[in-house]
Structures are given as structure tokens and as C-alpha cells.
Amino acid sequence: MNMDLTEAPIGVFDSGVGGLTVAREIMRNLPAEHIVYFGDTARLPYGSKSRDTILMFSRQIIRFLQTQHVKAIVVACNTASAFALDEVAGENNLPMIGVVKPGARVAAQVTSNKRIGVIGTEGTTGSHIYRNYIQDIDPEITVIEKPCPLLVPLVEERWIHDSVTRQVLERYLAGLQEQQVDTLVLGCTHYPLLRSIVGEIMGSAVTLVNPAYETALELKQLLAARNLTNPGTDKKEFPYRFFVSDLADKFKVFANSILPYDVEMTQKIDIENY
């Protein structure tokens, strides 16, 4: 087993701060692993952009992460998972996972009435990627997809416990309540930060699926299967490194508000150079 490779970091990327919910679950569930995180804060949101644009952005970010000598990549963005993952995974020999398949699999397992709601960006819901994966597993499941384009900007503004955010969520979720879904997929990595409000609105009878958590568990299995698990013998002084394409200070403040780890530094890079 290549010792150097086991101690290499995991690359995690997202359009902004949302992917930090995935990084947080990796920190909790794989504490020996190092992380290089990239948030594309200059070019968010991804949810309203075309497939070609998302593909171009994803390729640039992967090229950057490769300069950081990562051993695996987590596409911690539902839109990029929907539009780019299959293509970029085929272009690279690095192990790569996205956030959609783990979430879809768990949703299909936990529903009892076979009615699943999915909230996400316009890109994710418009691609029907969750519906396709869930119905591949069980064609009898009805999947109701609801685009919620206002939620990402509200989370990025840190209006997480704001009455405005609650009102917006109530309007978005009303249709799903009428459809009597018993399972709801938080199909955007920003949405776990709104989990408590979503839970209050939907009620205790609806199971919320957090793909960020399921992705961390899948990453754990993937690393074990490839003999890439970090043995945890080397305690790096800075096990987590953060890069962004803009607004490094704003990102750092946000990261420190949600991560179980104090982010000392966030570095801005010019992603267009990759």
C-alpha cells in the first residue's frame, strides 16, 4: 500500500459554502482524513447555469485540486453532481463521488408510502437526476421535485434562523405537503443548514434525508475498498485547507460558524488559470 497516498487529502468542492456541510460530515465520520476544500464563491450560484458551464467550472476545479495532490474527490454540489460528475469521472483516474446517488439510495430505502419529495436548485431538479436514480431503484416510487432558487442566497447571507427564510420555505414546501410525501431529500448541500426549520414545517411524520451525511459514509467505504484510508498516524498541523475564488474573509466567517474546527485561513485563488 502506498503510504504517501493514504496520507494525501480528500478534495471537496462546491459552488460556495454549501459543500461545507459535506466537509463537516467527513470531519465527523472520517476524523483521520485531511481535506482540501474549494468553494467557487466568485461564480455561484451553479443552480441556474447551463450544463456546459458547470462542466467547464468542474474541470477547472478538478485541475486545481490535482495540484494539491488529492487522493479522491467529492463533488459536494448537487448541480455539479447532476451535470458533470459522470463525464469528469470518466476523464480522470482519481476516485470520485457525488452527493446525489447516496441521498437517492437512502430515500428509496426509508420511504414507506413511496412518495418522495426532492428540493434543490433549478439545475438539480430540472435534470431529474434524483427522480431517475430513485426510480431506477424502485420504479413504483413517485418523486415530486421542487426547485427552491431563493434558498441558496438566503443561506449564503447567513439568514438561517430568519423569519423571511421561514416564510420562503413555507411557500416552497406547501406543495410537497399537499402531495403527502413521507420522505424529503435535502437536494442541495446548503439545505442541511435549514434542516431544523424544514423539519418543523414538514412535521415529524416526514423523514428528512441529508445527502451530505450519506456521502461521507460512502466516501468511507470507497477509501477502504481502494486501500486509501488514512491510518491517522501523521497529525498535520493544518489538516484542513480552504480555497475560494472570491470573498475569502466572508467565507471564513461562515465556515467558522458551522464547522467543528477553527478555520485559520482561507486562500483566494484565480480558478480561471486552471
Side-chain angles (χ1 to χ4, degrees), residues 95-133:
M96 243 179 249
I97 61 169
V99 283
V100 175
K101 280 183 188 171
R105 202 164 37 241
V106 171
Q109 283 164 3
V110 298
T111 181
S112 8
N113 73 357
K114 295 193 186 290
R115 298 183 69 75
I116 296 174
V118 177
I119 52 174
T121 64
E122 289 167 293
T124 301
T125 54
S127 74
H128 305 304
I129 187 165
Y130 274 101
R131 186 183 73 193
N132 295 344
Y133 278 142

mmCIF file of all heavy atoms in Angstrom, residues 95-133:
data_model
loop_
_atom_site.group_PDB
_atom_site.id
_atom_site.type_symbol
_atom_site.label_atom_id
_atom_site.label_comp_id
_atom_site.label_asym_id
_atom_site.label_seq_id
_atom_site.Cartn_x
_atom_site.Cartn_y
_atom_site.Cartn_z
ATOM 1 N N PRO A 95 -10.481 8.440 -7.860
ATOM 2 C CA PRO A 95 -11.824 8.054 -7.413
ATOM 3 C C PRO A 95 -12.652 9.309 -7.130
ATOM 4 O O PRO A 95 -12.142 10.254 -6.522
ATOM 5 C CB PRO A 95 -11.582 7.264 -6.126
ATOM 6 C CG PRO A 95 -10.114 7.135 -5.962
ATOM 7 C CD PRO A 95 -9.426 8.001 -6.948
ATOM 8 N N MET A 96 -13.899 9.310 -7.595
ATOM 9 C CA MET A 96 -14.740 10.495 -7.455
ATOM 10 C C MET A 96 -16.146 10.091 -7.077
ATOM 11 O O MET A 96 -16.688 9.147 -7.645
ATOM 12 C CB MET A 96 -14.813 11.198 -8.819
ATOM 13 C CG MET A 96 -14.229 12.580 -8.815
ATOM 14 S SD MET A 96 -14.328 13.333 -10.448
ATOM 15 C CE MET A 96 -12.606 13.374 -10.878
ATOM 16 N N ILE A 97 -16.737 10.792 -6.119
ATOM 17 C CA ILE A 97 -18.152 10.556 -5.826
ATOM 18 C C ILE A 97 -18.888 11.884 -5.737
ATOM 19 O O ILE A 97 -18.281 12.923 -5.466
ATOM 20 C CB ILE A 97 -18.374 9.742 -4.521
ATOM 21 C CG1 ILE A 97 -17.818 10.477 -3.300
ATOM 22 C CG2 ILE A 97 -17.795 8.347 -4.620
ATOM 23 C CD1 ILE A 97 -18.244 9.832 -1.975
ATOM 24 N N GLY A 98 -20.178 11.818 -5.964
ATOM 25 C CA GLY A 98 -21.018 12.997 -5.827
ATOM 26 C C GLY A 98 -21.971 12.815 -4.667
ATOM 27 O O GLY A 98 -21.899 11.822 -3.935
ATOM 28 N N VAL A 99 -22.878 13.771 -4.517
ATOM 29 C CA VAL A 99 -23.788 13.724 -3.367
ATOM 30 C C VAL A 99 -25.159 13.150 -3.715
ATOM 31 O O VAL A 99 -25.965 12.896 -2.830
ATOM 32 C CB VAL A 99 -23.972 15.135 -2.760
ATOM 33 C CG1 VAL A 99 -22.762 15.518 -1.924
ATOM 34 C CG2 VAL A 99 -24.237 16.178 -3.817
ATOM 35 N N VAL A 100 -25.434 12.943 -5.017
ATOM 36 C CA VAL A 100 -26.796 12.568 -5.413
ATOM 37 C C VAL A 100 -27.091 11.089 -5.155
ATOM 38 O O VAL A 100 -28.092 10.748 -4.518
ATOM 39 C CB VAL A 100 -27.061 12.926 -6.891
ATOM 40 C CG1 VAL A 100 -28.427 12.412 -7.317
ATOM 41 C CG2 VAL A 100 -26.985 14.439 -7.088
ATOM 42 N N LYS A 101 -26.234 10.204 -5.630
ATOM 43 C CA LYS A 101 -26.533 8.766 -5.510
ATOM 44 C C LYS A 101 -26.707 8.314 -4.056
ATOM 45 O O LYS A 101 -27.661 7.599 -3.749
ATOM 46 C CB LYS A 101 -25.429 7.933 -6.187
ATOM 47 C CG LYS A 101 -25.582 7.870 -7.697
ATOM 48 C CD LYS A 101 -24.521 6.977 -8.332
ATOM 49 C CE LYS A 101 -24.585 7.091 -9.845
ATOM 50 N NZ LYS A 101 -23.471 6.418 -10.516
ATOM 51 N N PRO A 102 -25.808 8.720 -3.130
ATOM 52 C CA PRO A 102 -26.003 8.280 -1.739
ATOM 53 C C PRO A 102 -27.341 8.750 -1.170
ATOM 54 O O PRO A 102 -28.025 7.991 -0.475
ATOM 55 C CB PRO A 102 -24.827 8.928 -0.995
ATOM 56 C CG PRO A 102 -23.788 9.175 -2.049
ATOM 57 C CD PRO A 102 -24.542 9.481 -3.291
ATOM 58 N N GLY A 103 -27.733 9.974 -1.469
ATOM 59 C CA GLY A 103 -29.004 10.500 -0.973
ATOM 60 C C GLY A 103 -30.203 9.794 -1.581
ATOM 61 O O GLY A 103 -31.179 9.472 -0.891
ATOM 62 N N ALA A 104 -30.123 9.539 -2.893
ATOM 63 C CA ALA A 104 -31.226 8.867 -3.586
ATOM 64 C C ALA A 104 -31.429 7.452 -3.025
ATOM 65 O O ALA A 104 -32.555 7.000 -2.816
ATOM 66 C CB ALA A 104 -30.926 8.804 -5.083
ATOM 67 N N ARG A 105 -30.314 6.776 -2.768
ATOM 68 C CA ARG A 105 -30.387 5.386 -2.293
ATOM 69 C C ARG A 105 -31.084 5.317 -0.933
ATOM 70 O O ARG A 105 -31.963 4.485 -0.703
ATOM 71 C CB ARG A 105 -28.969 4.806 -2.212
ATOM 72 C CG ARG A 105 -28.927 3.306 -2.266
ATOM 73 C CD ARG A 105 -27.566 2.727 -2.575
ATOM 74 N NE ARG A 105 -26.471 3.452 -1.974
ATOM 75 C CZ ARG A 105 -25.499 4.037 -2.662
ATOM 76 N NH1 ARG A 105 -25.502 3.993 -3.977
ATOM 77 N NH2 ARG A 105 -24.523 4.665 -2.054
ATOM 78 N N VAL A 106 -30.700 6.223 -0.034
ATOM 79 C CA VAL A 106 -31.289 6.212 1.306
ATOM 80 C C VAL A 106 -32.768 6.593 1.248
ATOM 81 O O VAL A 106 -33.606 5.988 1.928
ATOM 82 C CB VAL A 106 -30.499 7.145 2.249
ATOM 83 C CG1 VAL A 106 -31.213 7.320 3.577
ATOM 84 C CG2 VAL A 106 -29.110 6.559 2.475
ATOM 85 N N ALA A 107 -33.109 7.573 0.417
ATOM 86 C CA ALA A 107 -34.519 7.986 0.295
ATOM 87 C C ALA A 107 -35.380 6.806 -0.153
ATOM 88 O O ALA A 107 -36.470 6.571 0.386
ATOM 89 C CB ALA A 107 -34.643 9.145 -0.691
ATOM 90 N N ALA A 108 -34.876 6.055 -1.131
ATOM 91 C CA ALA A 108 -35.639 4.901 -1.633
ATOM 92 C C ALA A 108 -35.799 3.835 -0.545
ATOM 93 O O ALA A 108 -36.812 3.137 -0.484
ATOM 94 C CB ALA A 108 -34.937 4.301 -2.855
ATOM 95 N N GLN A 109 -34.805 3.734 0.348
ATOM 96 C CA GLN A 109 -34.874 2.739 1.430
ATOM 97 C C GLN A 109 -35.876 3.135 2.512
ATOM 98 O O GLN A 109 -36.561 2.280 3.067
ATOM 99 C CB GLN A 109 -33.488 2.576 2.091
ATOM 100 C CG GLN A 109 -32.498 1.739 1.280
ATOM 101 C CD GLN A 109 -31.059 1.932 1.768
ATOM 102 O OE1 GLN A 109 -30.808 2.643 2.745
ATOM 103 N NE2 GLN A 109 -30.114 1.299 1.080
ATOM 104 N N VAL A 110 -35.940 4.437 2.834
ATOM 105 C CA VAL A 110 -36.713 4.817 4.028
ATOM 106 C C VAL A 110 -38.182 5.138 3.753
ATOM 107 O O VAL A 110 -38.986 5.133 4.675
ATOM 108 C CB VAL A 110 -36.062 6.000 4.797
ATOM 109 C CG1 VAL A 110 -34.677 5.616 5.289
ATOM 110 C CG2 VAL A 110 -36.010 7.265 3.967
ATOM 111 N N THR A 111 -38.565 5.413 2.501
ATOM 112 C CA THR A 111 -39.973 5.759 2.260
ATOM 113 C C THR A 111 -40.882 4.562 2.493
ATOM 114 O O THR A 111 -40.564 3.440 2.109
ATOM 115 C CB THR A 111 -40.175 6.312 0.835
ATOM 116 O OG1 THR A 111 -41.563 6.650 0.658
ATOM 117 C CG2 THR A 111 -39.791 5.311 -0.252
ATOM 118 N N SER A 112 -42.023 4.796 3.140
ATOM 119 C CA SER A 112 -42.990 3.695 3.278
ATOM 120 C C SER A 112 -44.165 3.864 2.326
ATOM 121 O O SER A 112 -44.698 2.887 1.817
ATOM 122 C CB SER A 112 -43.488 3.549 4.722
ATOM 123 O OG SER A 112 -43.070 4.585 5.541
ATOM 124 N N ASN A 113 -44.566 5.123 2.039
ATOM 125 C CA ASN A 113 -45.713 5.298 1.135
ATOM 126 C C ASN A 113 -45.295 5.501 -0.324
ATOM 127 O O ASN A 113 -46.113 5.766 -1.196
ATOM 128 C CB ASN A 113 -46.626 6.440 1.616
ATOM 129 C CG ASN A 113 -46.013 7.825 1.388
ATOM 130 O OD1 ASN A 113 -44.880 7.956 0.919
ATOM 131 N ND2 ASN A 113 -46.764 8.861 1.719
ATOM 132 N N LYS A 114 -43.978 5.386 -0.561
ATOM 133 C CA LYS A 114 -43.418 5.511 -1.921
ATOM 134 C C LYS A 114 -43.720 6.875 -2.552
ATOM 135 O O LYS A 114 -43.937 6.978 -3.758
ATOM 136 C CB LYS A 114 -43.910 4.370 -2.836
ATOM 137 C CG LYS A 114 -43.416 2.998 -2.379
ATOM 138 C CD LYS A 114 -43.645 1.941 -3.442
ATOM 139 C CE LYS A 114 -43.307 0.549 -2.966
ATOM 140 N NZ LYS A 114 -41.865 0.329 -2.765
ATOM 141 N N ARG A 115 -43.728 7.903 -1.706
ATOM 142 C CA ARG A 115 -43.876 9.282 -2.202
ATOM 143 C C ARG A 115 -42.744 10.119 -1.610
ATOM 144 O O ARG A 115 -42.722 10.394 -0.409
ATOM 145 C CB ARG A 115 -45.245 9.861 -1.824
ATOM 146 C CG ARG A 115 -46.410 9.068 -2.437
ATOM 147 C CD ARG A 115 -47.755 9.694 -2.117
ATOM 148 N NE ARG A 115 -47.949 10.972 -2.784
ATOM 149 C CZ ARG A 115 -48.221 11.122 -4.080
ATOM 150 N NH1 ARG A 115 -48.324 10.058 -4.866
ATOM 151 N NH2 ARG A 115 -48.397 12.321 -4.606
ATOM 152 N N ILE A 116 -41.806 10.492 -2.482
ATOM 153 C CA ILE A 116 -40.599 11.204 -2.029
ATOM 154 C C ILE A 116 -40.572 12.600 -2.645
ATOM 155 O O ILE A 116 -40.776 12.766 -3.851
ATOM 156 C CB ILE A 116 -39.323 10.430 -2.453
ATOM 157 C CG1 ILE A 116 -39.271 9.062 -1.754
ATOM 158 C CG2 ILE A 116 -38.055 11.239 -2.142
ATOM 159 C CD1 ILE A 116 -38.121 8.170 -2.210
ATOM 160 N N GLY A 117 -40.307 13.600 -1.801
ATOM 161 C CA GLY A 117 -40.098 14.963 -2.286
ATOM 162 C C GLY A 117 -38.611 15.242 -2.399
ATOM 163 O O GLY A 117 -37.803 14.715 -1.625
ATOM 164 N N VAL A 118 -38.251 16.059 -3.379
ATOM 165 C CA VAL A 118 -36.850 16.490 -3.525
ATOM 166 C C VAL A 118 -36.854 18.004 -3.687
ATOM 167 O O VAL A 118 -37.512 18.532 -4.589
ATOM 168 C CB VAL A 118 -36.175 15.858 -4.772
ATOM 169 C CG1 VAL A 118 -34.748 16.389 -4.937
ATOM 170 C CG2 VAL A 118 -36.164 14.334 -4.684
ATOM 171 N N ILE A 119 -36.147 18.710 -2.799
ATOM 172 C CA ILE A 119 -35.969 20.143 -3.014
ATOM 173 C C ILE A 119 -34.521 20.378 -3.442
ATOM 174 O O ILE A 119 -33.608 19.692 -2.977
ATOM 175 C CB ILE A 119 -36.331 20.980 -1.765
ATOM 176 C CG1 ILE A 119 -35.608 20.478 -0.510
ATOM 177 C CG2 ILE A 119 -37.837 20.985 -1.537
ATOM 178 C CD1 ILE A 119 -35.829 21.374 0.734
ATOM 179 N N GLY A 120 -34.326 21.326 -4.372
ATOM 180 C CA GLY A 120 -32.978 21.583 -4.879
ATOM 181 C C GLY A 120 -32.969 22.843 -5.718
ATOM 182 O O GLY A 120 -33.956 23.579 -5.776
ATOM 183 N N THR A 121 -31.838 23.078 -6.371
ATOM 184 C CA THR A 121 -31.749 24.220 -7.278
ATOM 185 C C THR A 121 -32.515 23.901 -8.565
ATOM 186 O O THR A 121 -32.888 22.746 -8.811
ATOM 187 C CB THR A 121 -30.285 24.521 -7.656
ATOM 188 O OG1 THR A 121 -29.778 23.392 -8.396
ATOM 189 C CG2 THR A 121 -29.422 24.760 -6.418
ATOM 190 N N GLU A 122 -32.682 24.912 -9.399
ATOM 191 C CA GLU A 122 -33.346 24.677 -10.694
ATOM 192 C C GLU A 122 -32.544 23.697 -11.539
ATOM 193 O O GLU A 122 -33.114 22.867 -12.248
ATOM 194 C CB GLU A 122 -33.520 26.013 -11.414
ATOM 195 C CG GLU A 122 -34.564 26.893 -10.755
ATOM 196 C CD GLU A 122 -34.530 28.337 -11.244
ATOM 197 O OE1 GLU A 122 -33.540 29.039 -10.973
ATOM 198 O OE2 GLU A 122 -35.495 28.748 -11.894
ATOM 199 N N GLY A 123 -31.208 23.777 -11.450
ATOM 200 C CA GLY A 123 -30.366 22.854 -12.219
ATOM 201 C C GLY A 123 -30.582 21.413 -11.795
ATOM 202 O O GLY A 123 -30.781 20.519 -12.621
ATOM 203 N N THR A 124 -30.565 21.179 -10.498
ATOM 204 C CA THR A 124 -30.700 19.814 -9.981
ATOM 205 C C THR A 124 -32.090 19.249 -10.248
ATOM 206 O O THR A 124 -32.232 18.131 -10.757
ATOM 207 C CB THR A 124 -30.417 19.784 -8.460
ATOM 208 O OG1 THR A 124 -29.084 20.267 -8.237
ATOM 209 C CG2 THR A 124 -30.529 18.385 -7.909
ATOM 210 N N THR A 125 -33.135 20.020 -9.918
ATOM 211 C CA THR A 125 -34.490 19.486 -10.109
ATOM 212 C C THR A 125 -34.811 19.363 -11.597
ATOM 213 O O THR A 125 -35.462 18.405 -12.013
ATOM 214 C CB THR A 125 -35.541 20.373 -9.404
ATOM 215 O OG1 THR A 125 -35.390 21.721 -9.846
ATOM 216 C CG2 THR A 125 -35.381 20.317 -7.891
ATOM 217 N N GLY A 126 -34.311 20.305 -12.396
ATOM 218 C CA GLY A 126 -34.570 20.256 -13.841
ATOM 219 C C GLY A 126 -33.883 19.084 -14.528
ATOM 220 O O GLY A 126 -34.342 18.595 -15.555
ATOM 221 N N SER A 127 -32.786 18.608 -13.938
ATOM 222 C CA SER A 127 -32.076 17.460 -14.527
ATOM 223 C C SER A 127 -32.781 16.143 -14.201
ATOM 224 O O SER A 127 -32.490 15.116 -14.820
ATOM 225 C CB SER A 127 -30.649 17.391 -13.977
ATOM 226 O OG SER A 127 -30.651 16.930 -12.626
ATOM 227 N N HIS A 128 -33.697 16.162 -13.223
ATOM 228 C CA HIS A 128 -34.436 14.967 -12.759
ATOM 229 C C HIS A 128 -33.500 13.846 -12.309
ATOM 230 O O HIS A 128 -33.867 12.676 -12.342
ATOM 231 C CB HIS A 128 -35.380 14.442 -13.857
ATOM 232 C CG HIS A 128 -36.323 15.491 -14.359
ATOM 233 N ND1 HIS A 128 -37.176 16.204 -13.530
ATOM 234 C CD2 HIS A 128 -36.531 15.991 -15.615
ATOM 235 C CE1 HIS A 128 -37.867 17.080 -14.250
ATOM 236 N NE2 HIS A 128 -37.492 16.976 -15.502
ATOM 237 N N ILE A 129 -32.303 14.224 -11.875
ATOM 238 C CA ILE A 129 -31.329 13.185 -11.536
ATOM 239 C C ILE A 129 -31.747 12.377 -10.318
ATOM 240 O O ILE A 129 -31.594 11.157 -10.284
ATOM 241 C CB ILE A 129 -29.914 13.783 -11.362
ATOM 242 C CG1 ILE A 129 -28.878 12.669 -11.175
ATOM 243 C CG2 ILE A 129 -29.851 14.803 -10.233
ATOM 244 C CD1 ILE A 129 -27.449 13.097 -11.358
ATOM 245 N N TYR A 130 -32.340 13.030 -9.305
ATOM 246 C CA TYR A 130 -32.811 12.273 -8.138
ATOM 247 C C TYR A 130 -33.950 11.340 -8.533
ATOM 248 O O TYR A 130 -33.972 10.171 -8.152
ATOM 249 C CB TYR A 130 -33.271 13.218 -7.019
ATOM 250 C CG TYR A 130 -32.147 13.667 -6.114
ATOM 251 C CD1 TYR A 130 -31.570 14.918 -6.255
ATOM 252 C CD2 TYR A 130 -31.658 12.825 -5.114
ATOM 253 C CE1 TYR A 130 -30.531 15.330 -5.413
ATOM 254 C CE2 TYR A 130 -30.625 13.220 -4.280
ATOM 255 C CZ TYR A 130 -30.071 14.474 -4.430
ATOM 256 O OH TYR A 130 -29.034 14.874 -3.605
ATOM 257 N N ARG A 131 -34.905 11.875 -9.293
ATOM 258 C CA ARG A 131 -36.039 11.042 -9.723
ATOM 259 C C ARG A 131 -35.540 9.820 -10.496
ATOM 260 O O ARG A 131 -35.981 8.692 -10.241
ATOM 261 C CB ARG A 131 -36.990 11.868 -10.603
ATOM 262 C CG ARG A 131 -38.257 11.126 -10.973
ATOM 263 C CD ARG A 131 -39.136 11.943 -11.885
ATOM 264 N NE ARG A 131 -38.586 12.018 -13.227
ATOM 265 C CZ ARG A 131 -39.003 12.874 -14.165
ATOM 266 N NH1 ARG A 131 -39.944 13.747 -13.890
ATOM 267 N NH2 ARG A 131 -38.473 12.864 -15.370
ATOM 268 N N ASN A 132 -34.594 10.044 -11.420
ATOM 269 C CA ASN A 132 -34.095 8.934 -12.243
ATOM 270 C C ASN A 132 -33.404 7.872 -11.388
ATOM 271 O O ASN A 132 -33.640 6.676 -11.547
ATOM 272 C CB ASN A 132 -33.144 9.455 -13.319
ATOM 273 C CG ASN A 132 -33.866 10.356 -14.315
ATOM 274 O OD1 ASN A 132 -35.098 10.362 -14.380
ATOM 275 N ND2 ASN A 132 -33.120 11.130 -15.087
ATOM 276 N N TYR A 133 -32.555 8.299 -10.472
ATOM 277 C CA TYR A 133 -31.847 7.336 -9.613
ATOM 278 C C TYR A 133 -32.823 6.586 -8.718
ATOM 279 O O TYR A 133 -32.732 5.371 -8.550
ATOM 280 C CB TYR A 133 -30.812 8.046 -8.729
ATOM 281 C CG TYR A 133 -29.492 8.345 -9.403
ATOM 282 C CD1 TYR A 133 -28.808 9.530 -9.157
ATOM 283 C CD2 TYR A 133 -28.904 7.424 -10.273
ATOM 284 C CE1 TYR A 133 -27.593 9.814 -9.764
ATOM 285 C CE2 TYR A 133 -27.694 7.694 -10.886
ATOM 286 C CZ TYR A 133 -27.040 8.889 -10.627
ATOM 287 O OH TYR A 133 -25.839 9.163 -11.225
#
